[in-house]
Amino acid sequence: MTAPATLRARLEGVDRSLPVWLATAGLLVVLMALPLAWLGYMSVSVEGGGSTLAHYRDAFRDEALRKALWNTLVLAFWVGIASVAVGAPLAWLTARTDIPAKGLIRGLVMASFVTPPFLGAFAWVMLAGPNAGALNVFWRWITGGDAALFNIFTMAGLVFVVTSYTFPYVYIMLANTLALIASDLEDAAAIHGAGRLSVALTITMPLVAPAIVSGFILAVLQALALFGSPAILALPAGFHTITTQVWSFFQFPPKVELAAAVSVPLLLATAVLLLVQRRVLGRRGYASVGGKGGARRTIALGWLRYPALAGVFVVMACAIFLPYAILTKAAFAKAWAQPLSLENLTLANFSFTLFEYSSTKGAIVNTLELGIVTASVGAAMVALLAYVTNRRLVIGHQIVGFLALAPVVIPGVVLAVALFIAYTRPPFVLYGTLAILFVAYLTKEMPVGYEQADATFRGIPPDLEEAGRILGAGRLRILRDVTAPLARSGIIAAWCFIFIGVIRELSASIILFTPNTKVMSVVIFDLKEEGQFGAIAVLGLVMLVLTFATVSIVQAALGRDVLGVKD
């Protein structure tokens, strides 16, 4: 056999799609490894060359930083507890009881889930600010006194606001888990003489424990990573969290090395938290075994149905009704703190925000452009990555899956610090362009898209693809003609989650933006510094309309709830 024939024979045995999988995995490695390597290097580097641990020493000797760290731990712990306390009962009520208006409740939870926490914080400043807050004004009118009923500028106020937009993480996990638990397990225990408390402790709780722990840790991670709400509520109250402290290092003169030294421990802490979650849950395996016969009996609440519904609406009033109402009022009012009378009614806020304020048009265009491009590229990328890991197409596919989920442990501010360091120097000088925001958003939102795509491909039997290969089709053609149509709904859902994440992102944007690359969240933050509450309300409503329109379109295309919560 000649040399060309031998080479041709060898090439025929090679999967021609392999370069695609390797290129996708390689891109993932670059996205993750380059900025994190620069972050680690900068945290120990000294000007002129060499290395030192002095930046870490300076960071942890700084009294203000230690206070910020303590405040962050307090915030994250209580947000986790409060999110479980709110999300778990809501999930149980909608998944296992006959409470009325289940569909409405799920829709309101979705509204809370997609509402940017910083926008909710702005709304609660207008509602519960100690001086002009609407609830305090109403309280003084009723009582005739001068004392404020609420002061949102406290640690308790910050925990309250963050919890209002974090409890959906617990709700989603627990509602789906409860919907899968067959009631016959609980009925069997009851037949054998177990009381309701005993059944709950020995049957139901072990089955939902992983979901509760996972929801708690997700809520804690969200609180650790938040920048917007602490910047709006904690800074006026005179205290920092770790994210606002890192942001302060980028005010003039910038202290990039100190920011890196603070970011590395925060990154390690979040990684350890996820590792503990996996270790704790990995030692225990609870499963509900059953097929179509595993019926889920609805628990009758009797006369408690309506008090329970009232309690649900109290929660939704805090997360949705009151914040949205005050934002709408502020958008149409000349003076947001005054009653909305005909004399106080105006459209000037819309005119100023959308047509006169110089940053608005560019920010809306930038946000939509980044949202659409990031969601499209991200959905395609996570679909390929999930396919690679599920079908084990490359050596080290486990590492690919780990790297795809790894950004979940990187707080947005930390990611921004790493990207700022990595992309302000050769060979990739991206700072000052939309490209650096695109890289930040793609990296930050990858885990949620990957989880959705991974679940989708796990539900598609590989037998269908093997049948196509037997008939002579290549893997790429099978992916296009067989697998992709079956995975369509999951990939669309991944697109939706990534798009929503981009629209509401602030923590990375606030460090990486320049005057020409502002996005809507940054403009809202700028307007807050200028005290333009009417304009904030208008732009906030525009952001919410864009988000809800996207969710509605995607849900119509999927024919199901984007949250995935089952009836």
Side-chain angles (χ1 to χ4, degrees), residues 110 492 496 549-563:
M110 166 60 82
I492 291 175
C496 181
T550 302
V551 171
S552 299
I553 292 170
V554 170
Q555 287 190 165
L558 297 182
R560 63 175 174 84
D561 191 343
V562 171
L563 289 178

Side-chain angles (χ1 to χ4, degrees), residues 184-195 198-199 203:
D184 49 11
L185 299 172
E186 298 162 325
D187 293 341
I191 289 171
H192 285 82
S198 179
V199 170
I203 303 296

Side-chain angles (χ1 to χ4, degrees), residues 6 34 41 139 146 154 213 262 366 392 428 462 477 493 550:
T6 303
L34 182 63
Y41 169 77
W139 175 254
D146 295 326
T154 61
V213 174
V262 174
N366 288 342
R392 304 178 180 182
F428 305 110
R477 183 176 178 183
T550 302

Side-chain angles (χ1 to χ4, degrees), residues 305-350:
R305 295 173 68 211
Y306 296 102
L309 185 62
V312 170
F313 282 124
V314 167
V315 173
M316 296 308 169
C318 296
I320 302 298
F321 300 148
L322 289 174
Y324 283 26
I326 196 69
L327 286 171
T328 304
K329 176 193 172 185
F332 289 95
K334 296 177 183 177
W336 67 267
Q338 299 300 316
L340 191 60
S341 60
L342 285 175
E343 293 76 16
N344 195 27
L345 196 64
T346 183
L347 293 176
N349 292 324
F350 286 86

Side-chain angles (χ1 to χ4, degrees), residues 24 63 75 84 120 124 154 162 247 292 379 385 431 439 475 548:
T24 307
E63 181 67 21
L75 171 66
V84 171
W124 273 101
T154 61
V162 174
W247 168 72
K292 293 183 178 179
L385 290 171
Y431 186 71
V439 173
R475 192 173 287 277
F548 286 122

Side-chain angles (χ1 to χ4, degrees), residues 26-376:
L27 177 59
L28 174 64
V29 171
V30 171
L31 278 175
M32 291 298 303
L34 182 63
L36 293 184
W38 272 110
L39 181 70
Y41 169 77
M42 189 60 68
S43 71
V44 297
S45 68
V46 292
E47 190 173 350
S51 60
T52 179
L53 294 177
H55 305 313
Y56 290 96
R57 182 195 63 210
D58 294 343
F60 288 98
R61 282 183 178 178
D62 190 313
E63 181 67 21
L65 268 174
R66 290 204 297 269
K67 287 182 179 178
L69 177 61
W70 174 250
N71 291 333
T72 303
L73 293 175
V74 170
L75 171 66
F77 174 78
W78 284 113
V79 166
I81 295 293
S83 295
V84 171
V86 173
L90 276 177
W92 180 76
L93 286 169
T94 55
R96 303 304 298 270
T97 75
D98 63 347
I99 190 171
K102 291 182 182 181
L104 175 61
I105 294 172
R106 283 194 289 269
L108 292 172
V109 172
M110 166 60 82
S112 175
F113 179 71
V114 303
T115 300
F118 66 85
L119 191 59
F122 280 125
W124 273 101
V125 168
M126 292 187 282
L127 284 166
N131 297 321
L135 296 179
N136 287 320
V137 170
F138 182 66
W139 175 254
R140 293 188 185 103
W141 179 73
I142 291 177
T143 62
D146 295 326
L149 179 63
F150 303 106
N151 181 7
I152 203 67
F153 298 112
T154 61
M155 176 60 79
L158 180 58
V159 170
F160 165 76
V161 170
V162 174
T163 301
S164 297
Y165 304 100
T166 305
F167 79 86
Y169 292 94
V170 178
Y171 173 90
I172 293 167
M173 289 195 168
L174 205 54
N176 280 325
T177 301
L178 285 167
L180 293 173
I181 298 175
S183 298
D184 49 11
L185 299 172
E186 298 162 325
D187 293 341
I191 289 171
H192 285 82
R196 288 191 175 184
L197 180 61
S198 179
V199 170
L201 293 176
T202 60
I203 303 296
T204 310
M205 278 300 296
L207 288 169
V208 300
I212 291 176
V213 174
S214 294
F216 171 81
I217 291 179
L218 269 180
V220 167
L221 287 171
Q222 289 294 314
L224 283 174
L226 274 183
F227 167 79
S229 299
I232 294 161
L233 300 177
L235 294 185
F239 66 92
H240 274 281
T241 63
I242 200 70
T243 54
T244 60
Q245 192 73 60
V246 170
W247 168 72
S248 71
F249 292 143
F250 281 83
Q251 309 308 301
F252 188 83
K255 303 174 183 176
V256 179
E257 293 85 0
L258 198 56
V262 174
S263 297
V264 170
L266 181 58
L267 172 63
L268 294 176
T270 52
V272 167
L273 193 60
L274 278 180
L275 179 62
V276 169
Q277 176 202 27
R278 289 178 178 271
R279 288 290 176 89
V280 170
L281 298 182
R283 295 177 183 272
R284 302 180 180 182
Y286 299 103
S288 173
V289 180
K292 293 183 178 179
R296 284 164 285 281
R297 174 176 49 82
T298 299
I299 298 171
L301 294 177
W303 64 271
L304 290 173
R305 295 173 68 211
Y306 296 102
L309 185 62
V312 170
F313 282 124
V314 167
V315 173
M316 296 308 169
C318 296
I320 302 298
F321 300 148
L322 289 174
Y324 283 26
I326 196 69
L327 286 171
T328 304
K329 176 193 172 185
F332 289 95
K334 296 177 183 177
W336 67 267
Q338 299 300 316
L340 191 60
S341 60
L342 285 175
E343 293 76 16
N344 195 27
L345 196 64
T346 183
L347 293 176
N349 292 324
F350 286 86
S351 175
F352 170 77
T353 308
L354 299 178
F355 303 107
E356 298 173 24
Y357 193 70
S358 59
S359 299
T360 304
K361 290 182 182 178
I364 293 175
V365 171
N366 288 342
T367 302
L368 288 175
E369 182 180 339
L370 284 166
I372 293 170
V373 173
T374 305
S376 301

